[in-house]
């Protein structure tokens, strides 16, 4: 758990930057049901986040394998108040699994492993920022990483 209070100044304006939430907590658990299998559960939470709302055209889609998306386009400008937007709490849980086998190849002991991680396990809708339409003032959220496979791989150690 971390409590921090970061403030930055620009001219006569003081604000809290988006990369410095007031409260941050991380928790992890690794379980080894067998000697060659591990399950990993990690959780991250942030409260007291601030952002500067954007005004103007912007299109954002978090990188994910579910629909192959990964975009950020547009030319927005910051809103009226630096650090004035409150994106709400950030919650994410990731689940990983790793299995490995010992193999003798060419007279040498080696290890072949298979692993994978699913990010944002519960599909919590985390908001990165807000975009305000200058015509009517409506705010649209810019959402972060959805439920998705984060890493899948094979490794060979020799």
């Amino acid at each position: 758990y971390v409590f921090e209070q970061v403030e930055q100044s620009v001219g006569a304006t003081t604000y809290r930057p988006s990369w410095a939430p007031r409260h941050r907590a991380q928790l992890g658990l690794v379980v080894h049901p067998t000697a060659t299998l591990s399950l990993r559960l990690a959780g991250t939470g942030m409260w007291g986040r601030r952002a500067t709302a954007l005004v103007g055209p912007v299109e954002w889609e978090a990188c994910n394998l579910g629909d192959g998306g990964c975009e950020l386009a547009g030319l927005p400008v910051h809103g009226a108040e630096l650090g004035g937007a409150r994106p709400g709490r950030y919650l994410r849980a990731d689940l990983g699994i790793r299995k490995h086998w010992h193999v003798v190849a060419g007279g040498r002991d080696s290890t072949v492993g298979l692993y994978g991680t699913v990010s944002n396990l519960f599909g919590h809708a985390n908001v990165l920022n807000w975009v305000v339409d200058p015509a009517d003032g409506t705010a649209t959220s810019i959402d972060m990483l959805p439920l998705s496979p984060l890493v899948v791989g094979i490794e060979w150690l020799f």
Side-chain angles (χ1 to χ4, degrees):
Y1 172 79
V2 174
F3 172 80
E4 62 185 349
Q5 184 163 339
V6 176
E7 292 184 348
Q8 291 188 328
S9 296
V10 175
T13 304
T14 300
Y15 72 102
R16 274 196 325 209
S18 61
W19 50 264
R22 179 130 326 161
H23 305 274
R24 181 188 318 252
Q26 294 178 316
L27 180 66
L29 175 69
V30 178
V31 177
H32 293 274
T34 68
T36 61
L37 177 68
S38 64
L39 303 171
R40 300 158 193 242
L41 181 64
T44 301
M46 290 183 264
W47 298 266
R49 297 186 310 132
R50 298 299 277 269
T52 300
L54 303 173
V55 177
V58 66
E59 182 181 343
W60 162 266
E61 185 176 324
C63 298
N64 68 83
L65 296 175
D67 63 7
C70 186
E71 323 180 340
L72 178 58
L75 298 169
V77 295
H78 69 80
E81 184 182 353
L82 290 175
R86 297 175 188 261
R89 69 177 187 244
Y90 174 93
L91 296 173
R92 188 176 105 192
D94 299 338
L95 179 64
I97 185 169
R98 184 177 188 283
K99 172 73 175 163
H100 74 270
W101 298 268
H102 293 278
V103 179
V104 176
R108 303 187 87 176
D109 185 34
S110 61
T111 304
V112 176
L114 201 59
Y115 58 89
T117 302
V118 175
S119 180
N120 200 8
L121 186 61
F122 302 112
H124 187 268
N126 292 306
V127 174
L128 175 66
N129 203 342
W130 299 93
V131 177
V132 178
D133 185 337
D136 62 10
T138 59
T140 304
S141 67
I142 299 174
D143 297 331
M144 292 207 241
L145 187 68
L147 167 67
S148 65
L150 181 62
V151 175
V152 176
I154 299 172
E155 66 181 5
W156 180 25
L157 304 171
F158 55 93

